[in-house]
Amino acid sequence: MLKGKKVVLGVTGSIAAYKAAEITRALVKERALVKVIMTASATRFITPLTFQTLSNNPVAVDMFEEPVAWEIEHISLAKWADVFLIAPATANVIGKMAAGIADDMLTTTVMATRAPVVVAPAMNVNMYTNPITQHNIDVLKQNGYHFVQPESGELACGDRGQGRLADIKDIVDCVRSLFIKKDLAGKRILVTAGPTREPIDPVRYISNYSSGKMGYALAKAARDRGAEVVLVSGPVSISPPSGVMLERINTAEEMMRSVLKHFDNVDAVIMAAAVADYRPMEYSEVKIKKSDEDMVVHLGKNPDILKELGFRKGKQVLIGFAAETNDVMLNAGKKLREKNLDMIVVNDVTQPGAGFEVDTNIVNVMTRDGDVKSFPLMDKGELSHMILDLAVDLMVR
Ligand code: CTP
């Protein structure tokens, strides 16, 4: 998605400046073209040569030292940029940008650009929470600047709190999201993800291998396309995408309640969760002790959430998933009809690279009219966009 995109990366004088080298690498790896501008104080933390080597482009620092081949440099870089990223951004630079001060190469160029600007702050927690910094951030946000929030944790100065530069992945994600079409703006989408856990006693449960990766990737892709996303998630070990409304549940019944609560207010539901079909009929409040006998756990049927939604369905687009091992398309078609779905995403979990736990998937997508589209092995993030392309078509009908 970033291939051939021109990124101007502004690096300012924070201890996190070294992380900008990683950001440059990540952008270059995605085949973006990167040109770096450093403030004078940034060069005290890391050398321009590092960025020149990583970006394969000259690095601009001094306003008045113009390389022969360039025009008025701050103007040419400002025009060249498809996106402007400032990472790390100090309180000082944020303050200058908010006040309209342009007194060095970076602040002059950013003021002259028409490209979208992404700012990733990094500073001491007290500087970050200082009302003046917060006011400056608000001013920039009101003017359309995008912010990638700093994380909480241990800071270089020894303090703890919010101020640590956001994860590099999140920063690159934010840059990438600017190039994604916002065709789901104004839509509310509910995504379910992960397994459900059906308890036997306080220390045991029945569940499945779902990692939540597909559902989380879908939630993130929908968010990037401008949708308001509700993510109802079973217990998983991955972090949720920022900016989505997350509801954590454990059991199928809890998932059912959570989904029904939102159903009337959403435009589409994507049920990527691997809902346990059965649950132990009896729950023991105390840990069950072993005995010499075999143990029998009676399982009762869980509600079929998607089937219930199919029954209640109004204008909502309903998308189900099917994990199959045999008669794949036949079974999927049956599920689509029985659950009154608009679309079903089918994976043959016997294929390597498909299904649970992995980062990739191989799917066929069947729509209500019987149309089938096959997708080769691809990353779950990329596949999410393909699925959403089809969902958008269904939503506008
Ligand atoms: N699903 C659901 N509630 C359940 C079981 C499944 O909402 N109790 C949803 C899943 O989230 C998925 C779709 O139904 O989107 C298909 O799930 P799957 O388990 O593959 O199908 P089942 O209908 O449970 O049939 P089977 O297990 O026999 O294949």
Side-chain angles (χ1 to χ4, degrees):
M1 205 157 281
L2 285 176
K3 189 178 164 203
K5 296 286 187 277
K6 297 177 218 135
V7 185
V8 173
L9 172 61
V11 183
T12 72
S14 150
I15 184 68
Y18 74 95
K19 292 187 185 165
E22 284 294 321
I23 297 173
T24 310
R25 278 180 57 136
L27 293 168
V28 169
K29 202 166 152 217
E30 296 207 23
R31 312 210 2 227
L33 309 169
V34 182
K35 289 188 179 176
V36 175
I37 305 178
M38 299 176 77
T39 60
S41 28
T43 63
R44 308 284 288 266
F45 289 95
I46 183 166
T47 67
L49 183 62
T50 306
F51 292 107
Q52 187 183 316
T53 312
L54 291 173
S55 68
N56 216 6
N57 273 314
V59 172
V61 181
D62 189 342
M63 279 273 286
F64 300 103
E65 184 188 291
E66 281 183 22
V68 193
W70 296 0
E71 319 157 38
I72 302 175
E73 198 185 8
H74 63 280
I75 302 297
S76 76
L77 278 176
K79 281 190 193 155
W80 181 82
D82 289 323
V83 57
F84 212 110
L85 168 65
I86 305 176
T90 55
N92 179 49
V93 162
I94 291 172
K96 280 202 229 173
M97 291 192 298
I101 296 170
D103 65 350
D104 62 6
M105 188 62 166
L106 177 60
T107 47
T108 321
T109 314
V110 78
M111 191 183 272
T113 195
R114 292 190 153 194
V117 181
V118 176
V119 183
M123 64 195 76
N124 166 277
V125 56
N126 295 331
M127 292 173 83
Y128 183 68
T129 52
N130 186 314
I132 298 176
T133 308
Q134 289 302 313
H135 170 77
N136 290 335
I137 290 175
D138 283 346
V139 168
L140 291 172
K141 279 187 180 166
Q142 279 158 25
N143 283 282
Y145 284 49
H146 305 268
F147 274 80
V148 191
Q149 282 213 346
E151 291 179 350
S152 289
E154 193 140 332
L155 304 173
C157 53
D159 283 354
R160 286 192 68 82
Q162 197 174 14
R164 204 168 62 189
L165 185 72
D167 208 61
I168 290 166
K169 210 171 103 319
D170 292 336
I171 295 173
V172 175
D173 256 9
C174 180
V175 172
R176 210 186 288 116
S177 73
L178 295 176
F179 297 104
I180 296 173
K181 52 184 181 291
K182 305 290 178 223
D183 53 359
L184 287 174
K187 301 281 185 208
R188 296 196 82 208
I189 300 201
L190 192 155
V191 180
T192 65
T196 63
R197 248 181 213 178
E198 312 297 330
I200 298 173
D201 70 9
V203 297
R204 302 181 181 93
Y205 57 81
I206 291 177
S207 190
N208 58 63
Y209 288 114
S210 170
S211 61
K213 285 179 178 169
M214 191 67 236
Y216 277 47
L218 279 158
K220 181 161 162 270
R223 174 207 68 186
D224 286 345
R225 290 166 80 143
E228 208 179 302
V229 179
V230 182
L231 175 60
V232 178
S233 173
V236 294
S237 58
I238 52 178
S239 341
S242 59
V244 307
M245 188 204 282
L246 176 68
E247 288 194 11
R248 291 185 201 275
I249 53 86
N250 277 306
T251 65
E253 286 188 321
E254 287 166 7
M255 180 173 276
M256 172 93 156
R257 277 198 292 277
S258 189
V259 167
L260 289 182
K261 190 174 73 189
H262 294 286
F263 189 57
D264 288 342
N265 299 318
V266 298
D267 298 287
V269 178
I270 309 179
M271 283 288 301
V275 187
D277 288 320
Y278 296 91
R279 68 174 181 280
M281 294 277 273
E282 273 165 36
Y283 173 73
S284 167
E285 298 285 348
V286 291
K287 187 181 162 198
I288 301 168
K289 288 288 180 194
K290 65 175 169 294
S291 72
D292 291 336
E293 304 299 310
D294 288 342
M295 182 180 169
V296 176
V297 178
H298 285 280
L299 300 177
K301 277 290 307 259
N302 260 335
D304 189 321
I305 304 170
L306 199 48
K307 200 167 182 178
E308 180 63 30
L309 298 184
F311 184 67
R312 297 180 182 216
K313 180 172 145 69
K315 61 169 179 39
Q316 299 93 335
V317 167
L318 281 190
I319 301 171
F321 270 71
E324 304 289 347
T325 55
N326 56 293
D327 297 327
V328 175
M329 293 318 284
L330 198 74
N331 285 333
K334 225 169 109 201
K335 276 179 197 169
L336 182 134
R337 284 186 299 280
E338 278 173 2
K339 301 193 187 196
N340 192 19
L341 308 181
D342 296 285
M343 191 164 110
I344 191 155
V345 182
V346 195
N347 48 52
D348 174 350
V349 283
T350 60
Q351 290 192 65
F356 294 153
E357 287 180 319
V358 289
D359 289 326
T360 52
N361 214 348
I362 309 165
V363 305
N364 288 302
V365 178
M366 186 190 282
T367 43
R368 189 188 264 277
D369 50 19
D371 199 28
V372 177
K373 286 204 166 54
S374 302
F375 295 98
L377 180 87
M378 62 174 91
D379 174 80
K380 285 180 175 169
E382 200 183 336
L383 178 62
S384 297
H385 280 288
M386 304 285 175
I387 294 170
L388 290 179
D389 283 345
L390 298 171
V392 167
D393 286 349
L394 296 171
M395 268 187 255
V396 297
R397 267 185 206 175

